[in-house]
Amino acid sequence: MNTPQPSQSTWDAVDRALEQWLAPQDEALQATTMSAERAGLPRIAVSPAQGRLLEVLARAIGARRILEIGTLAGFSTIWLARALPPGGSLVTLELDPGRAQLAHENIDRAGCGEMVRIVVGPAAESLESLRAMCAPPFDLVFIDADRERCLAYLEHAIALSRPGTLIIVDNAVHRGRVIEQGTGEPSVEGVRAMMDAIQRHPRLKAAGIQTVGAKGYDGLVLALVGDAPRAESDPLDILLRHDAWATREVLRACAGLTDEQWHRRFEIGPGSLHDALTHIVGAMLRWADRIDGPPTELRPSIEGDVQRTPAELLVILDAAAADLAASAERARARGLGTEFAVTLAGQTHRFTLGAALVHVTTHGMHHRAQCLNMLRHLSVPGVSDRLPEIDPLDWQLQARA
Ligand code: SAH
Ligand code: MG
């Protein structure tokens, strides 16, 4: 049997009922809708039921800072602003100055003027400036402007987020057109590109939901921003990567030295650049084996009679960094509190895996300082006066660039 599917007239009636039950509008909200009608604006504001959904979501996550892209007459802005606690704030971006002015009046009438700032102009530019001024992260971002640019808006939204930020994208189903391939239409291609990006993005966990109602058939995407990638946030990962990178930078600085300079003796640490850098890499290899423990045995030391060029040492460094990172990953799986035995100068000691990893990833630091000192003493123009900046913050800036 073929039951007739509910259609637009049912959706309208149900939306009216939902509104009466759950999302009653006060005069300010009604006046906002009327002002938009009078100004001849397209009827593309969220419905009252959807406005209430935005309010409930904002309250559920305890949002204190909200960003909205696409203001129109301020209807969704008011629902969102009313979810804010005292001291909360909302920034909303609108291209059209006339719409922004109308929204301004509506938002004031609704009593939200103090917490809302309307920024007039192309949203992409306003988002760039928010990033440039290092605005504190937003707790909730509502993307509801031109579909063709929604991927760019999503990327800006993530950059302006913290772990736990909720990004809501309106009109993501586009009356079902979202599944049409190769239309060449910017609005369809825009939403599809955003979906692909969300699917690939390591930090996003997202849900998509189709909606019907007074606004017809469309849908929302809700994307939750997760932790930054481990290499950007986890202390052990940062130590491992920074240490290898910093030693690489020092070896690169040595690449332009003559053989004599590379082996010049100093009363500093292991005695020459060659010896100090070989010692740093040698320790990485040794500790990778020690951390793995039996049945892994210590491989032969590289700190012997063989002499290597900076380029040869760079190759060994890359292998050592990969080995150490793999040992660290296994150590994490065993638990960083696990104790293991190490024999140093004939004496056996017990360390936690965590202590050993911090030791090996910071061991290079003072030897690198010795290297920089030797490089300075060599007085080689272009090297000694341009020593590399290699602290962990330099690493993070370079890794992102
Ligand atoms: N969020 C509103 C509806 C927004 S409609 C509500 O639910 O009440 C989309 C708005 O985005 C329009 O007012 C349009 O002028 C604005 N817009 C379109 N392109 C834009 C752009 N490039 N930059 C900023 N705003 C833009
Ligand atoms: Mg919309």
Side-chain angles (χ1 to χ4, degrees), residues 44 46 144 170-171:
I44 51 176
V46 295
D144 190 20
D170 195 22
N171 310 111

Short mmCIF file of all heavy atoms in Angstrom, two decimals, residues 44 46 144 170-171, ligand 2:
data_model
loop_
_atom_site.label_atom_id
_atom_site.label_comp_id
_atom_site.label_asym_id
_atom_site.label_seq_id
_atom_site.Cartn_x
_atom_site.Cartn_y
_atom_site.Cartn_z
N ILE A 44 14.80 33.74 4.00
CA ILE A 44 15.80 32.67 4.18
C ILE A 44 16.35 32.62 5.61
O ILE A 44 17.34 31.95 5.88
CB ILE A 44 16.97 32.80 3.18
CG1 ILE A 44 17.53 34.23 3.20
CG2 ILE A 44 16.51 32.43 1.77
CD1 ILE A 44 18.76 34.41 2.31
N VAL A 46 16.35 31.34 9.48
CA VAL A 46 15.95 30.07 10.08
C VAL A 46 14.51 30.18 10.56
O VAL A 46 14.02 31.29 10.81
CB VAL A 46 16.86 29.67 11.27
CG1 VAL A 46 18.29 29.42 10.81
CG2 VAL A 46 16.83 30.73 12.37
N ASP A 144 26.13 30.37 7.89
CA ASP A 144 24.83 30.51 7.22
C ASP A 144 24.88 31.65 6.21
O ASP A 144 24.03 32.53 6.23
CB ASP A 144 23.74 30.76 8.28
CG ASP A 144 22.34 30.67 7.70
OD1 ASP A 144 22.17 30.07 6.62
OD2 ASP A 144 21.42 31.21 8.34
N ASP A 170 24.36 25.62 8.13
CA ASP A 170 22.96 25.58 7.68
C ASP A 170 22.91 25.32 6.17
O ASP A 170 23.88 25.55 5.46
CB ASP A 170 22.28 26.92 8.01
CG ASP A 170 20.76 26.82 7.92
OD1 ASP A 170 20.23 25.69 8.01
OD2 ASP A 170 20.10 27.86 7.74
N ASN A 171 21.78 24.84 5.72
CA ASN A 171 21.50 24.70 4.28
C ASN A 171 22.52 23.79 3.58
O ASN A 171 22.92 24.05 2.45
CB ASN A 171 21.48 26.08 3.60
CG ASN A 171 20.59 27.06 4.36
OD1 ASN A 171 21.10 28.01 4.96
ND2 ASN A 171 19.30 26.79 4.39
MG MG B 2 20.16 29.45 6.36
#
